[in-house]
Amino acid sequence: MDLDKLRVNGGRLRHSLEEMAKIGATPAGGVQRLACSDEDGRARDLFVSWLEEIDCTVTVDAMGNIFGRYEGANPALDPVLSGSHIDSQPKGGRFDGILGVMGPLEVLRTLHENGVRPERPIVIVDWTNEEGSRFAPAMVASGVWAGALDLQWAYDRTDINGIKQGDELERIGYKGSVPCESWPVHAYYELHIEQGPRLEATGNIIGAPKGVLCLHWYDIHLEGQANQVGPTPMEGRHDALVAAAEMIVAVRALPASMGGNMVATVGEIHNYPNSRNIIPDGVHFTIDIRSWDDQLALDAFEKLRGQMLGIAEEHGCPIRIEETWKVEHAPFDRGLVQRLLEVGRDLGYPTLRMVSGAGHDASYVNQLAPSAMIFVPSIGGRSHVEVEETSWEDCEAGANALLHCLLRSASEG
Ligand code: GLV
Ligand code: MN
Ligand code: MN
């Protein structure tokens, strides 16, 4: 058959996404499928059953990464890999991550029903805990697979209730027996929603990111002195929450003051004992800094560190700064990005060169194998929210772009 004319089944892709969206569905139309939760487990079971229907060989590694291998005409050749993640943010959307797992599944269903057997094997992957919102850091399992993070350290990460990631993985039945370590990959493609406004604003259907920004995560712990709010004078208080508030404002001001391309965010805060009539004596908050320029992000944090030490001193609130996680910016393989631009042109999809501000497992895979990502528009540029939306036509377009990128890479000898 003429492979250039091959297209995925958009209706079937939509159905898969809709079935997955039922697992952990939230009342406002999103999903909550936190890493290693019961919902994550149920969605994995469904994914595995779908892989088995198309004769994929399924393996689960020690970090719970699920691989489905569609055999190539020449099994000895290094496979082409494609995937993303099944887990979601708390009150997250129906497309982040899961599109990049259902997309390659739809590609393999299309190959399977048409009896297409590419030269190289094609492997789909669901990477465990990409989001990092239940267990920090993000992209932890692709990080272990790539040799950048330690397996035991990953197992020992705890959630807000002190539950260990490794124990939860075991509980849901996905602590696999295969070692979590990399193997040679010919090319890696990750299909994903853009999670920003540019594709929609410019009328493009496909985004071809040149890479992913660096991500630096910090955890800040402040100690105050608790006391009754009524009788305690305003002077001489050691209010950990007020100190944290001033620090948060400093984080907000950081990108503009550094004068480069950078974003900085405080997204999580825990206040103790969190009672309206007790002066807070403990605060824990997180900082997320991203830039294409790793050094700029590091310099920014050093500036912020000085500011935070000053604020802590002023309030008499001891501070502990934890450098939780760093991943360098990931410049993707130019040949694969170029291939996507060509596929976009051949399929008639307007395609835009861009950069990814969101973190992705592709960052770690890129450290070992030629990698690229395929973006499709996010309606209103919204994501990590229940109203996250991408049109079904654009999901289909993204899967078609993935199909032809995979076919071209898998036909290389
Ligand atoms: C992952 O979703 C991230 O960009 O934080
Ligand atoms: Mn994602
Ligand atoms: Mn996400």
Side-chain angles (χ1 to χ4, degrees), residues 261-301:
N261 200 309
M262 207 188 97
V263 289
T265 310
V266 173
E268 184 177 343
I269 182 164
H270 305 278
N271 177 51
Y272 304 97
N274 213 26
S275 167
R276 70 179 70 206
N277 44 8
I278 303 177
I279 296 168
D281 69 350
V283 171
H284 164 207
F285 68 92
T286 61
I287 301 173
D288 175 310
I289 299 179
R290 306 182 186 207
S291 176
W292 186 255
D293 181 343
D294 303 52
Q295 193 56 47
L296 182 77
L298 292 171
D299 293 346
F301 188 74

Side-chain angles (χ1 to χ4, degrees), residues 39-298:
E39 293 76 21
D40 186 8
R42 292 211 315 272
R44 286 162 175 264
D45 292 345
L46 182 59
F47 173 52
V48 168
S49 72
W50 284 342
L51 287 173
E52 285 168 349
E53 278 172 18
I54 49 167
D55 306 325
C56 282
T57 311
V58 177
T59 51
V60 181
D61 75 15
M63 258 320 285
N65 297 318
I66 302 171
F67 298 95
R69 180 181 169 108
Y70 183 80
E71 200 49 270
N74 187 345
L77 291 176
D78 295 341
V80 179
L81 182 64
S82 181
S84 195
H85 58 100
I86 281 178
D87 72 311
S88 83
Q89 289 285 326
K91 289 194 178 172
R94 294 173 299 151
F95 297 90
D96 177 359
I98 196 70
L99 175 63
V101 183
M102 296 300 101
L105 177 71
E106 176 51 40
V107 167
L108 292 192
R109 283 173 166 165
T110 302
L111 300 185
H112 185 257
E113 74 190 353
N114 286 284
V116 179
R117 183 72 55 197
E119 203 52 22
R120 290 176 181 272
I122 297 178
V123 177
I124 308 189
V125 56
D126 161 42
W127 300 109
T128 297
N129 185 17
E130 188 274 348
E131 295 290 3
S133 58
R134 179 178 179 199
F135 303 100
M139 295 132 62
V140 67
S142 53
V144 174
W145 182 85
L149 301 174
D150 178 68
L151 177 71
Q152 192 57 49
W153 179 83
Y155 283 163
D156 290 343
R157 298 304 90 208
T158 52
D159 69 8
I160 196 74
N161 300 311
I163 298 174
K164 287 188 177 169
Q165 180 160 236
D167 294 345
E168 281 294 86
L169 207 46
E170 185 147 25
R171 186 185 66 77
I172 64 166
Y174 280 91
K175 198 189 239 184
S177 51
V178 175
C180 179
E181 55 195 27
S182 67
W183 24 269
V185 168
H186 182 65
Y188 175 73
Y189 294 100
E190 185 165 345
L191 170 63
H192 208 281
I193 53 169
E194 178 199 354
Q195 307 187 267
R198 288 202 61 211
L199 290 175
E200 187 180 59
T202 55
N204 284 283
I205 293 178
I206 298 290
K210 67 171 180 175
V212 182
L213 304 185
C214 75
L215 265 85
H216 297 174
W217 281 8
Y218 303 89
D219 282 74
I220 312 301
H221 304 267
L222 282 163
E223 239 178 79
Q225 191 179 62
N227 212 340
Q228 229 284 11
V229 298
T232 309
M234 295 307 289
E235 301 76 45
R237 289 186 177 199
H238 304 291
D239 186 327
L241 188 57
V242 173
E246 289 180 18
M247 292 177 192
I248 292 167
V249 172
V251 173
R252 177 69 176 81
L254 198 59
S257 77
M258 292 304 290
N261 200 309
M262 207 188 97
V263 289
T265 310
V266 173
E268 184 177 343
I269 182 164
H270 305 278
N271 177 51
Y272 304 97
N274 213 26
S275 167
R276 70 179 70 206
N277 44 8
I278 303 177
I279 296 168
D281 69 350
V283 171
H284 164 207
F285 68 92
T286 61
I287 301 173
D288 175 310
I289 299 179
R290 306 182 186 207
S291 176
W292 186 255
D293 181 343
D294 303 52
Q295 193 56 47
L296 182 77
L298 292 171

